[in-house]
């Protein structure tokens, strides 16, 4: 966990949701989501296997869906909220499965916002269920879901 700076009284939590349904979130992740003032869901780098409404029902919190433009170009609202409050940024799979999420963490740190990460399962480590081993593969790439 990162040391809190005195520029910010809030925190940005990057929380992995796992691979399948609303119950894949870790216990730690769920506890954090339940106390956050704002909860955002990144909705373009991976397919969420459950409706957003199911997440909201299980978490007991409203979840704001962020599309590609919101994540890559308009995440300032989320970062500004994290300066003074606990804010959750939910990611399907694991948090650092896409460089976009690393960029958000770096931008938050530059703004003096404490960043905490709660990891979860991802397709990268779940491929072991097929008998595949990550060290047998070369570089990986991610393909975004494009909009019109």
């Amino acid at each position: 966990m990162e040391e809190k700076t005195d520029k910010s009284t809030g925190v940005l939590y990057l929380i992995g949701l796992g691979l399948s349904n609303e119950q894949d979130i870790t216990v730690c992740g769920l506890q954090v989501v339940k106390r956050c003032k704002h909860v955002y869901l990144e909705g373009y780098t991976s397919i969420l296997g459950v409706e957003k409404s199911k997440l909201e029902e299980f978490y007991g919190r409203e979840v704001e869906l962020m599309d590609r433009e919101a994540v890559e170009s308009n995440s300032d609202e989320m970062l500004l909220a994290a300066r003074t409050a606990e804010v959750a940024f939910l990611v399907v799979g694991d948090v650092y499965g896409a460089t976009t999420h690393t960029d958000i963490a770096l931008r938050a740190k530059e703004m003096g916002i404490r960043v905490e990460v709660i990891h979860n399962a991802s397709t990268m480590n779940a491929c072991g269920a097929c008998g595949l081993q990550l060290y047998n593969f070369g570089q990986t790439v991610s393909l975004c879901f494009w909009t019109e």
Side-chain angles (χ1 to χ4, degrees), residues 1-125:
M1 300 294 161
E2 299 296 320
E3 185 174 317
K4 189 172 183 177
T5 66
D6 48 356
K7 293 181 187 175
S8 170
T9 57
V11 58
L12 176 65
Y13 292 97
L14 304 177
I15 303 173
L17 294 181
L19 297 172
S20 181
N21 62 48
E22 71 276 10
Q23 295 180 13
D24 278 353
I25 191 169
T26 65
V27 172
C28 180
L30 181 59
Q31 290 172 341
V32 168
V33 166
K34 285 182 177 279
R35 73 172 187 250
C36 281
K37 183 172 183 179
H38 304 282
V39 180
Y40 297 91
L41 171 64
E42 189 270 274
Y44 86 92
T45 60
S46 196
I47 296 173
L48 182 62
V50 64
E51 294 295 323
K52 180 178 80 95
S53 61
K54 285 276 204 184
L55 295 180
E56 292 174 327
E57 181 182 336
F58 187 72
Y59 301 160
R61 299 297 320 271
E62 184 177 328
V63 175
E64 183 175 334
L65 184 63
M66 296 178 75
D67 62 12
R68 181 180 186 140
E69 184 177 345
V71 172
E72 291 184 345
S73 302
N74 299 324
S75 57
D76 291 342
E77 176 185 326
M78 176 178 68
L79 294 176
L80 290 173
R83 292 192 77 146
T84 58
E86 290 184 302
V87 173
F89 181 64
L90 309 178
V91 176
V92 177
D94 188 59
V95 170
Y96 289 130
T99 55
T100 301
H101 310 140
T102 303
D103 178 64
I104 286 176
L106 291 173
R107 289 178 47 220
K109 289 177 183 184
E110 287 173 0
M111 294 173 69
I113 299 166
R114 188 174 96 203
V115 175
E116 293 193 23
V117 176
I118 302 171
H119 292 282
N120 206 324
S122 73
T123 55
M124 293 300 290
N125 55 27

